[in-house]
Amino acid sequence: MAKKAKFVVGVDLEKDRLVKFRNEKNKKNYDNVSIFQMDGQNLAFADGLFDMVTCIEAMEHVPNEIELLKEIWRVLKSKGIVAISVPNKWYLFETHGANLGNLKISNRIPFISWLPTCLHSRVA
């Protein structure tokens, strides 16, 4: 996006992800990219600021999806574009990894995503 847009804003709550993001930004010399640590359910931006808002593989991590969507609509211009992607629960492999007691598996575990939400949220 940074190659095509006048300015790009990246938001994440997790500090580690922001460090990686900043490193990539600096490596590629994207002066038009700003990065902020903030909660997507409470964005510190003016109403109608953005032409486009993306929410990529994040919605499943917030406590209240409705509040996140309200914030996205609030900061989006009236004829703006929203692009949202979320994991497919019926995809064969869990992509978030799993924590099974002392056994921690980082990625691609079959069928865990098919568990009922109460079980899935404990292990994935």
Side-chain angles (χ1 to χ4, degrees), residues 9-11 13 23-24 31 38 47 53 56 63 65 68 70 85 90 92 95 110 113 121-123:
V9 175
V11 173
L13 196 54
N23 290 340
E24 281 299 307
D31 294 330
M38 68 177 72
D47 296 357
V53 176
I56 302 168
E65 296 95 349
L68 175 63
K70 284 179 183 177
S85 71
W90 300 113
L92 178 63
T95 59
S113 59
S121 60
R122 286 184 186 173
V123 297

Side-chain angles (χ1 to χ4, degrees), residues 15-74:
K15 206 173 255 185
D16 292 344
R17 294 183 188 277
L18 294 170
V19 168
K20 290 178 186 175
F21 191 12
R22 276 191 188 91
N23 290 340
E24 281 299 307
K25 170 194 172 308
N26 294 338
K27 210 184 315 181
K28 296 182 179 180
N29 294 318
Y30 289 139
D31 294 330
N32 62 335
V33 176
S34 297
I35 300 167
F36 299 96
Q37 182 177 14
M38 68 177 72
D39 183 345
Q41 296 175 114
N42 188 21
L43 297 170
F45 301 116
D47 296 357
L49 180 64
F50 297 105
D51 294 311
M52 180 177 197
V53 176
T54 64
C55 182
I56 302 168
E57 305 295 313
M59 188 169 285
E60 71 275 14
H61 297 283
V62 301
N64 189 328
E65 296 95 349
I66 299 300
E67 291 304 313
L68 175 63
L69 288 170
K70 284 179 183 177
E71 278 296 275
I72 288 171
W73 289 119
R74 183 185 67 75

